[in-house]
Amino acid sequence: RRVHGERMRVVLCLVGVAATTASVAILWALSTLRRVNTEIKQIKRRTHRNTTKPFRLFLVRHGESEGNVDPIVYFTTPDAKIPLTPRGHLMGIESGKAIREELKKLYPNKPARVVIYVSSFKRATETACGVLEGLDDLSGWVWNIRESPLLVEQDWGMFESTGLEGAKTAFPSEWNRLLQMKRHQGRFWSRFPLGESCFDVCQRIQLFFGLLIRECVRRATRDDVVIIISHGITLRAFAMMWCEKTFEWFEHCHNPPAASVRLLDSTVENWDAGYIFGGYKLGSDLDSPVDVKELDDNKLSHPQANMTVETFIQRHQDREKSRQFVPPMLVSHDSIGIDQLHHFATPPVRPSSRNPSAFRPPLVLE
């Protein structure tokens, strides 16, 4: 009888342990299922929001800077610290007014969430101040402003201290070399000496896209509008990469005017909705901005970078027909003599233990 009682106690203990374990397992399973369902609902809500809610980008070029008016400024002021002129600040205000009117049309019933990304250069940040002033009562829609060095102007390398106009006289050999490479490779691929090419700027913008998508698009509380305030080459690279345009489009279009505003809209085919404000040409009156019809570069007959197989083959054939080989001149014949040409044709000889006097250093042209 005593043995039987002990067995019953053991059985009851085992049953209790099993029941407790089963209860814990059931509670854990219910908790996990509840968490998974919550995550699924959030993903569905985010996906539905991101695919149905319009997303818009305003590309704003900075206003008139002192470097635009007087190229001598580049000799005395670093490119990153060149400010706007008083007219340039007024141009930024006009850009803000144009964006304000467009936002009222796009969001008549409720305010939009607006984020501003601005280049770290002084003329861009001063333009951002003018845009905020032009937004007036809609400046309350802007909940965050961020500076990004990825949006700065193209690096001119050796020409940074002179500007492009001064580089012709300060560095004539390097300037001629740049022109030769532009004729040989095209404006998009040729690189400034010790600086960037337009292709390099596109790579920098592609890095910025990762930040933009991560911060503004993939959140459940996604932003409605992003305002990009930057520079001419950088904004062209932005439009090219975002709208999937070809590099031929880049080479055939020009920098937007100062303080111009371009709209990229997810509800428009290929995103590009064109210019909503034409900006100003150098020296023009503030009462007469550029007509937006003059800035329509979508009429250029270059297909999108995203294309069908047939379009790709036709584009390849068209490129082969128009291809012209322009050999680059590595060294101007007028600046060197026959001995120096022979020096370039013969590689330098390294010294050895058998013939230490055979070393001939490479020629350096001043």
Side-chain angles (χ1 to χ4, degrees):
R1 192 179 295 173
R2 187 176 57 210
V3 173
H4 179 70
E6 297 226 0
R7 288 178 179 175
M8 289 299 296
R9 280 196 295 272
V10 171
V11 170
L12 290 176
C13 288
L14 293 176
V15 170
V17 171
T20 304
T21 305
S23 301
V24 171
I26 292 173
L27 292 176
W28 177 83
L30 291 176
S31 176
T32 304
L33 184 61
R34 189 181 298 110
R35 187 176 68 253
V36 170
N37 288 335
T38 303
E39 292 179 356
I40 291 175
K41 289 180 181 179
Q42 290 178 353
I43 292 174
K44 287 183 177 179
R45 191 184 305 115
R46 188 183 303 120
T47 304
H48 176 74
R49 183 184 182 92
N50 288 351
T51 55
T52 59
K53 188 176 181 181
F55 181 61
R56 297 177 172 97
L57 296 124
F58 291 91
L59 307 184
V60 184
R61 189 186 178 189
H62 63 79
E64 180 186 80
S65 69
E66 292 185 359
N68 297 138
V69 177
D70 185 10
I72 301 298
V73 174
Y74 288 100
F75 288 90
T76 59
T77 309
D79 193 16
K81 297 182 179 180
I82 294 178
L84 294 179
T85 62
R87 277 170 42 90
H89 181 73
L90 296 177
M91 291 178 183
I93 296 176
E94 295 300 321
S95 299
K97 292 180 179 178
I99 296 175
R100 178 177 178 273
E101 295 301 321
E102 191 69 20
L103 288 177
K104 281 188 172 182
K105 296 177 185 177
L106 296 174
Y107 304 94
N109 299 323
K110 62 178 182 179
R113 287 172 56 91
V114 181
V115 175
I116 297 179
Y117 283 89
V118 59
S119 162
S120 302
F121 281 17
K122 186 175 182 179
R123 53 186 179 272
T125 56
E126 290 182 346
T127 302
C129 295
V131 169
L132 288 173
E133 186 176 345
L135 288 175
D136 197 17
D137 56 320
L138 298 192
S139 60
W141 292 12
V142 180
W143 71 280
N144 199 3
I145 302 177
R146 306 177 185 178
E147 285 189 16
S148 176
L150 296 175
L151 294 174
V152 300
E153 179 64 287
Q154 180 183 17
D155 187 356
W156 293 349
M158 295 180 64
F159 305 155
E160 284 290 343
S161 60
T162 62
L164 297 183
E165 293 296 327
K168 300 177 183 179
T169 55
F171 304 101
S173 300
E174 289 77 8
W175 179 259
N176 291 331
R177 166 69 173 170
L178 177 63
L179 296 181
Q180 291 161 2
M181 293 310 298
K182 283 186 176 181
R183 289 193 296 267
H184 176 60
Q185 292 182 298
R187 291 192 302 159
F188 182 78
W189 305 105
S190 57
R191 180 178 286 108
F192 282 102
L194 303 180
E196 287 182 313
S197 65
C198 298
F199 169 68
D200 297 326
V201 179
C202 287
Q203 288 184 307
R204 178 154 46 86
I205 289 299
Q206 190 68 36
L207 293 175
F208 176 77
F209 285 172
L211 170 66
L212 182 64
I213 294 173
R214 182 175 65 252
E215 296 293 332
C216 299
V217 178
R218 289 185 176 175
R219 290 195 302 247
T221 57
R222 195 188 72 177
D223 306 313
D224 302 301
V225 177
V226 174
I227 301 176
I228 307 291
I229 303 177
S230 186
H231 312 266
I233 292 289
T234 311
L235 292 179
R236 283 165 59 196
F238 193 106
M240 171 188 164
M241 300 298 291
W242 190 272
C243 302
E244 296 183 332
K245 299 177 183 292
T246 62
F247 74 89
E248 288 97 343
W249 173 88
F250 191 99
E251 290 188 337
H252 286 80
C253 68
H254 302 282
N255 280 350
S260 60
V261 182
R262 186 178 198 141
L263 174 60
L264 305 183
D265 193 335
S266 63
T267 63
V268 178
E269 185 180 3
N270 297 325
W271 282 82
D272 195 356
Y275 286 87
I276 65 169
F277 181 63
Y280 302 93
K281 294 181 180 179
L282 185 62
S284 63
D285 189 10
L286 293 179
D287 296 330
S288 56
V290 178
D291 187 0
V292 293
K293 296 181 180 179
E294 299 179 11
L295 304 175
D296 184 15
D297 47 28
N298 290 318
K299 59 187 177 182
L300 300 175
S301 58
H302 298 294
Q304 299 294 115
N306 185 9
M307 67 193 84
T308 63
V309 176
E310 293 78 7
T311 306
F312 175 78
I313 295 175
Q314 182 62 41
R315 177 178 172 224
H316 174 70
Q317 294 174 352
D318 295 341
R319 278 179 172 176
E320 289 297 319
K321 292 179 182 178
S322 62
R323 183 178 180 183
Q324 295 180 355
F325 177 73
V326 181
M329 286 293 296
L330 297 179
V331 183
S332 174
H333 290 279
D334 298 333
S335 61
I336 60 176
I338 299 298
D339 297 338
Q340 293 173 333
L341 282 176
H342 176 72
H343 185 101
F344 275 98
T346 307
V349 180
R350 295 183 178 181
S352 62
S353 58
R354 295 183 179 180
N355 188 11
S357 62
F359 174 69
R360 177 169 55 82
L363 176 66
V364 178
L365 292 180
E366 297 182 357

